[in-house]
Amino acid sequence: MKLLLVFVKEHKSLAAIGLVLGLIVAVLEAITVAMMMPLILTLSAPSNTSGSGYSQMTNTIMSFFENIPEQHKFTAIVVAILVLTVIKNLSLYFSNISINRLMLDVGISIRRRCIEFFLSQKLYFYSKSRMGDLLSCVNEQVQRSETLVALMIT
């Protein structure tokens, strides 16, 4: 695990971008879900959407829409939810791209280090080992490492 973190540190900007975008996605998801309650309240009782019987979060969200006329409040909430959903999905898309790029870069770094190791070995090493088995083992371990890197970031 420590060795894997060395490879991730080489690409820390990609890891940071993926992590920050993932956090943005989580926050936007929570806000989008929280906006469903004001939407339902607007549908059920358009004239009574701000009241003391609702949670603090619902009242806070509804305060953003209190200056909008009642006949346009539903449309404003729907548009806000759609805009937040688009931003959230764009953040998720770019987060996935950066995490996949990080996986590939870490895999390339590990493979490069393995090739350097193989090239530094004496011929005696190759007479004792089958190269196909070594390469198969390296590829299998690199794929596992790439998956582990993606799981660490997400």
Side-chain angles (χ1 to χ4, degrees), residues 2-154:
K2 290 181 183 180
L3 184 60
L4 189 57
L5 288 176
V6 170
F7 290 110
V8 172
K9 285 181 183 177
E10 291 177 14
H11 309 284
K12 60 185 165 195
S13 61
L14 280 174
I17 290 170
L19 195 59
V20 167
L21 288 173
L23 271 145
I24 290 170
V25 168
V27 168
L28 290 174
E29 180 70 25
I31 292 170
T32 304
V33 169
M35 287 187 69
M36 290 301 148
M37 187 62 173
L39 181 68
I40 293 169
L41 290 174
T42 303
L43 284 173
S44 65
S47 62
N48 188 17
T49 55
S50 60
S52 60
Y54 304 123
S55 71
Q56 178 66 31
M57 180 181 256
T58 302
N59 287 332
T60 303
I61 292 172
M62 287 305 293
S63 69
F64 289 112
F65 302 102
E66 66 187 20
N67 294 330
I68 298 173
E70 288 298 322
Q71 66 266 24
H72 299 298
K73 198 172 278 193
F74 174 76
T75 305
I77 293 172
V78 169
V79 167
I81 290 172
L82 289 175
V83 168
L84 286 173
T85 302
V86 167
I87 294 170
K88 176 191 68 150
N89 287 332
L90 283 172
S91 298
L92 182 62
Y93 174 74
F94 287 115
S95 174
N96 286 338
I97 286 175
S98 66
I99 290 170
N100 285 334
R101 178 64 192 209
L102 176 66
M103 284 174 49
L104 291 174
D105 287 353
V106 167
I108 288 169
S109 296
I110 294 172
R111 284 183 176 93
R112 187 173 290 131
R113 184 170 291 183
C114 289
I115 288 173
E116 289 170 0
F117 172 79
F118 288 146
L119 291 175
S120 69
Q121 297 303 309
K122 306 278 186 208
L123 286 177
Y124 177 76
F125 174 78
Y126 295 106
S127 67
K128 293 281 186 181
S129 307
R130 294 189 337 205
M131 198 60 188
D133 291 341
L134 291 174
L135 291 176
S136 175
C137 181
V138 166
N139 279 330
E140 180 182 328
Q141 296 305 316
V142 168
Q143 287 174 350
R144 287 183 184 174
S145 298
E146 289 172 343
T147 303
L148 184 58
V149 165
L151 291 174
M152 283 176 17
I153 299 299
T154 57

